Amino acid sequence: MKNILLAFLVLFGVSNLWAHTIKMTTGKLELNTQNKTCKLTLNFFIDDFESELIKMYPQPPFDYKVPNTQMQETIESYVLNNVSIELNQVLVNLSITSIYKTEDNVCQVIFNGQLNEHQEYDIVTVKNTLLFSSFDKQSNILHVYVDGEKKQIFRFFAGVPVRTERF
């Protein structure tokens, strides 16, 4: 019994060395008012992101080298249910353009959108609740750029899932 307990403690301790305790997504929102485009880049820890999505949308493990249609639709649906971007109270429609693994445990998902041609762009509102339902200490960071210039860093927490700023 002592050996079993010792083996369990060693395995548990070693597995915790490789697990990350930070529960966070990072991202970049690029608004180009001249070209009327929007690009949203999100970075996720794969172990957190994939395990939670597969629980919500049962399917085979994700293949980042060749994302199939089901994987793309799952990620797009999940992100669009948890992230919204409004410019002067007009929702920006986003669509997924790429999914790939950037590091051993990080995947990057990119969305593009078109901005309304006849609209002012001085107030941006972003909702970001990614993985909030999965992890108590989840937080999300979004770097916001307008016409190539960094304007703001938004931080999102369960208690503050929406940010509005004037530029």
Side-chain angles (χ1 to χ4, degrees):
M1 187 66 163
K2 212 185 235 186
N3 290 338
I4 293 172
L5 182 59
L6 181 62
F8 173 76
L9 290 174
V10 168
L11 287 173
F12 181 73
V14 169
S15 70
N16 279 337
L17 288 175
W18 287 300
H20 61 89
T21 57
I22 297 172
K23 300 299 182 193
M24 177 185 298
T25 67
T26 61
K28 183 177 182 181
L29 174 62
E30 299 171 87
L31 303 170
N32 186 318
T33 61
Q34 294 159 354
N35 294 338
K36 309 294 186 210
T37 59
C38 171
K39 180 178 178 182
L40 176 65
T41 304
L42 298 169
N43 301 296
F44 297 93
F45 285 117
I46 290 173
D47 57 346
D48 294 340
F49 184 58
E50 184 174 341
S51 66
E52 292 308 307
L53 287 185
I54 289 175
K55 285 179 195 173
M56 292 179 219
Y57 308 90
Q59 61 192 282
F62 291 167
D63 180 358
Y64 294 94
K65 290 182 182 175
V66 184
N68 65 31
T69 303
Q70 184 180 18
M71 177 182 167
Q72 290 177 16
E73 288 173 355
T74 295
I75 292 173
E76 183 173 49
S77 175
Y78 177 77
V79 170
L80 295 180
N81 283 329
N82 287 280
V83 174
S84 65
I85 300 165
E86 293 180 3
L87 296 171
N88 289 47
Q89 300 181 344
V90 175
L91 184 66
V92 176
N93 291 319
L94 298 169
S95 59
I96 197 164
T97 58
S98 68
I99 303 165
Y100 59 95
K101 192 174 184 178
T102 61
E103 295 177 30
D104 187 39
N105 190 30
V106 177
C107 80
Q108 190 169 83
V109 181
I110 299 175
F111 289 80
N112 284 331
Q114 287 297 125
L115 305 180
N116 186 331
E117 287 190 38
H118 309 291
Q119 181 182 345
E120 293 292 320
Y121 302 107
D122 59 340
I123 298 175
V124 63
T125 301
V126 179
K127 175 190 91 167
N128 184 335
T129 59
L130 294 167
L131 298 175
F132 283 174
S133 64
S134 303
F135 302 106
D136 292 338
K137 297 187 184 214
Q138 177 71 28
S139 63
N140 302 319
I141 295 175
L142 186 67
H143 299 262
V144 180
Y145 290 76
V146 178
D147 296 327
E149 181 183 340
K150 189 170 191 173
K151 294 290 187 177
Q152 191 69 255
I153 298 175
F154 289 172
R155 290 184 175 89
F156 303 92
F157 305 95
V160 185
V162 179
R163 295 286 312 268
T164 300
E165 293 291 331
R166 181 178 296 276
F167 296 115

